[in-house]
Amino acid sequence: MTTAPGRGRPRDAAADLAILRAGLQLFIERGVEGTSMEQIAKKAGVGKPTIYRRWANKEELIAAAMETLVAGEAGWASQEAIDTESPYALVEAAIDRAATTVTTDQYRALVARVFGSAVSHPQLMAAYWERYILPRRRLAAGLLARARELGTVSDDVDADVAIDMMVGAVTYRVLQPDPPDVDEMRRYLRAVYRQIGLLP
């Protein structure tokens, strides 16, 4: 959660972005242990007070960076789109963006860092889960519910299990020693979604 800026001091969007980029890059390069607010401030070209007016600690900052800078990787548009558009069309539209994002070296390194920090820094995982994972799980659950209504996903499919399967399949693939390229990931994602009933 971000802290409120000081009274009379409007937020500087450019400074916000510089801080988030610096935090994400340092986290990927060094992990939580090797990242400090002082290092982030120096890399972003701002003072530490500027950072502390926005985030209480480095875990919240890193979680916000992941939420903001990696937000487009596999979203299902919006709940409104889910309620009105074909699940097939929404999934198909998301596949290219997802395949392009999750096959980058930065994304692979980020996933490895996040999972590596789950035990040693539970505060980071809790913030990441609350801010980044849960909103996307809710949208995915809405997509599955809509697909059930249309008869493409079976009524007995457990939404939580199906979502775990989709996310876990991607994580497993990108962390392999010989990860897929964009074309192979695109093919693989279609196969995963087809198994669940989100593609014909």
Side-chain angles (χ1 to χ4, degrees):
M1 179 180 296
T2 57
T3 55
R7 184 169 297 175
R9 287 172 169 260
R11 286 284 288 266
D12 182 341
D16 285 359
L17 186 58
I19 293 166
L20 292 171
R21 284 177 172 164
L24 188 67
Q25 185 175 344
L26 286 168
F27 172 61
I28 289 173
E29 291 174 355
R30 307 176 185 182
V32 183
E33 296 88 346
T35 300
S36 69
M37 296 292 253
E38 183 175 5
Q39 291 168 337
I40 294 171
K42 182 178 180 180
K43 191 172 186 66
V46 301
K48 281 201 295 184
T50 300
I51 296 182
Y52 279 111
R53 280 196 297 270
R54 292 156 166 79
W55 297 280
N57 53 57
K58 63 183 179 182
E59 287 84 3
E60 288 188 4
L61 192 159
I62 292 168
M66 289 188 285
E67 175 192 19
T68 302
L69 301 179
V70 197
E73 121 261 359
W76 307 114
S78 64
Q79 188 60 53
E80 181 181 1
I82 289 170
D83 291 339
T84 59
E85 298 182 27
S86 160
Y88 287 167
L90 291 174
V91 171
E92 191 62 51
I95 283 178
D96 283 341
R97 183 173 67 250
T100 299
T101 300
V102 304
T103 51
T104 62
D105 290 341
Q106 174 176 281
Y107 185 83
R108 294 182 66 231
L110 176 62
V111 169
R113 285 295 189 192
V114 169
F115 281 92
S117 304
V119 174
S120 59
H121 291 82
Q123 184 179 359
L124 171 62
M125 180 55 76
Y128 176 67
W129 186 266
E130 182 67 28
R131 297 174 60 121
Y132 184 82
I133 300 296
L134 281 183
R136 286 156 181 77
R137 288 185 71 92
R138 293 187 189 106
L139 287 175
L143 184 73
L144 287 165
R146 175 67 172 158
R148 277 202 204 93
E149 292 175 4
L150 298 176
T152 64
V153 170
S154 173
D155 287 339
D156 61 1
V157 169
D158 185 299
D160 283 331
V161 173
I163 295 168
D164 287 345
M165 288 170 58
M166 290 187 284
V167 176
V170 172
T171 302
Y172 177 76
R173 281 297 168 109
V174 301
L175 293 181
Q176 289 181 351
D178 185 21
D181 61 16
V182 175
D183 288 341
E184 173 58 22
M185 179 56 76
R186 191 183 294 115
R187 184 205 65 76
Y188 180 67
L189 287 173
R190 285 198 176 96
V192 171
Y193 296 140
R194 195 171 289 116
Q195 288 292 318
I196 294 169
L198 291 174
L199 281 179

